[in-house]
Amino acid sequence: DIQMTQSPSSLSASVGDRVTITCRASQGISNYLAWFQQKPGKAPKSLIYAAYSLQSGVPSKFSGSGSGTDFTLTISSLQPEDFATYYCQQYNSYPLTFGGGTKVEIK
Amino acid sequence: EVQLLESGGGLVQPGGSLRLSCAASGFTFSNYAVSWVRQAPGKGLEWVSTINNNGGNTYYADSVKGRFTISRDNSKKTLSLQMNSLRAEDTAIYYCAKNEGQWLAPFDYWGQGTLVTVSS
């Protein structure tokens, strides 16, 4: 199975900050990497697929990069609605696996 | 507008069974794979199972293999998850998710989830 490791597990940031979250795969997954946002009590929302492609309707302040084993999600200017938990997930092979999540909190 | 509406969750005793359903609308259901993803209380996301667009291929997480069965009815635009031999560790919110393609593809839309509680 492919293990997905996110870092950090949590971070505190201020409105307007640039935030970067890292996701590492235990083996190469090409660009078969997705990112999701989840707010408390809500279903996950799909943000990015194929490592850097934005899902429809997702604002351009979100961006993704990487290939192979190392990936990043960047939020260019953090806004109050961006405080949430973010998950990466590989879809290179079954079983599909998620990272442990990164909780972005208000400083 | 794509909508996924789960139902069937509830309280069940260990060893019991439950059947979850997901009603899909707003897209051509028979063209896409669909999946179940769960989230235990206070924990992260865990993929459970995926079925391809025509129902001919299924995959399961090791944690549910042999106990859960995924199925779909393309005529009714419905996804199901039959859960048998339930354990306390199966307690979670179960989300239905649409895949962007016919088989191994990213999720693009999610339902609101249905809570399954396994407890005596």
Side-chain angles (χ1 to χ4, degrees), chain A residues 46-74:
Chain A
S46 300
L47 295 178
I48 287 172
Y49 66 99
Y52 62 85
S53 297
L54 291 182
Q55 287 285 356
S56 176
V58 174
S60 59
K61 62 182 173 182
F62 292 97
S63 62
S65 65
S67 183
T69 60
D70 294 312
F71 303 86
T72 60
L73 171 70
T74 299

Side-chain angles (χ1 to χ4, degrees), chain B:
Chain B
E1 178 192 6
V2 172
Q3 290 194 332
L4 300 164
L5 186 61
E6 303 94 334
S7 61
L11 174 63
V12 60
Q13 293 189 338
S17 298
L18 209 57
R19 187 176 182 87
L20 305 183
S21 295
C22 173
S25 61
F27 64 101
T28 305
F29 185 68
S30 59
N31 285 355
Y32 298 93
V34 277
S35 303
W36 290 99
V37 176
R38 69 184 181 183
Q39 186 170 37
K43 302 297 184 182
L45 300 172
E46 179 189 17
W47 169 76
V48 173
S49 182
T50 297
I51 187 167
N52 76 328
N53 66 306
N54 63 18
N57 286 290
T58 58
Y59 264 102
Y60 298 92
D62 283 347
S63 57
V64 306
K65 199 173 296 182
R67 300 187 298 123
F68 291 11
T69 302
I70 191 172
S71 61
R72 65 189 295 161
D73 184 333
N74 284 346
S75 66
K76 296 182 178 178
K77 300 182 181 180
T78 300
L79 172 70
S80 297
L81 185 68
Q82 177 66 42
M83 304 186 295
N84 298 330
S85 303
L86 283 161
R87 307 166 179 167
E89 55 264 36
D90 295 318
T91 294
I93 297 173
Y94 285 73
Y95 296 103
C96 167
K98 171 184 171 290
N99 294 69
E100 282 197 54
Q102 295 185 344
W103 187 219
L104 195 56
F107 305 129
D108 53 0
Y109 291 95
W110 299 69
Q112 87 292 342
T114 187
L115 176 62
V116 172
T117 303
V118 184
S119 175
S120 55

Side-chain angles (χ1 to χ4, degrees), chain A:
Chain A
D1 298 3
I2 299 173
Q3 309 302 318
M4 305 300 292
T5 304
Q6 281 182 242
S7 61
S9 56
S10 66
L11 65 89
S12 295
S14 301
V15 172
D17 283 354
R18 180 183 179 91
V19 168
T20 298
I21 299 168
T22 297
C23 179
R24 175 164 289 176
S26 61
Q27 63 189 75
I29 58 170
S30 185
N31 68 334
Y32 297 117
L33 191 282
W35 290 96
F36 305 94
Q37 176 194 64
Q38 188 178 35
K39 297 180 180 179
K42 300 295 186 182
K45 175 186 176 182
S46 300
L47 295 178
I48 287 172
Y49 66 99
Y52 62 85
S53 297
L54 291 182
Q55 287 285 356
S56 176
V58 174
S60 59
K61 62 182 173 182
F62 292 97
S63 62
S65 65
S67 183
T69 60
D70 294 312
F71 303 86
T72 60
L73 171 70
T74 299
I75 310 171
S76 60
S77 178
L78 204 62
Q79 298 302 304
E81 64 269 20
D82 302 327
F83 291 94
T85 300
Y86 294 84
Y87 295 92
C88 62
Q89 179 239 334
Q90 66 82 18
Y91 55 96
N92 178 78
S93 62
Y94 289 104
L96 306 181
T97 46
F98 289 88
T102 297
K103 187 173 184 180
V104 177
E105 299 175 301
I106 301 173
K107 182 183 284 185

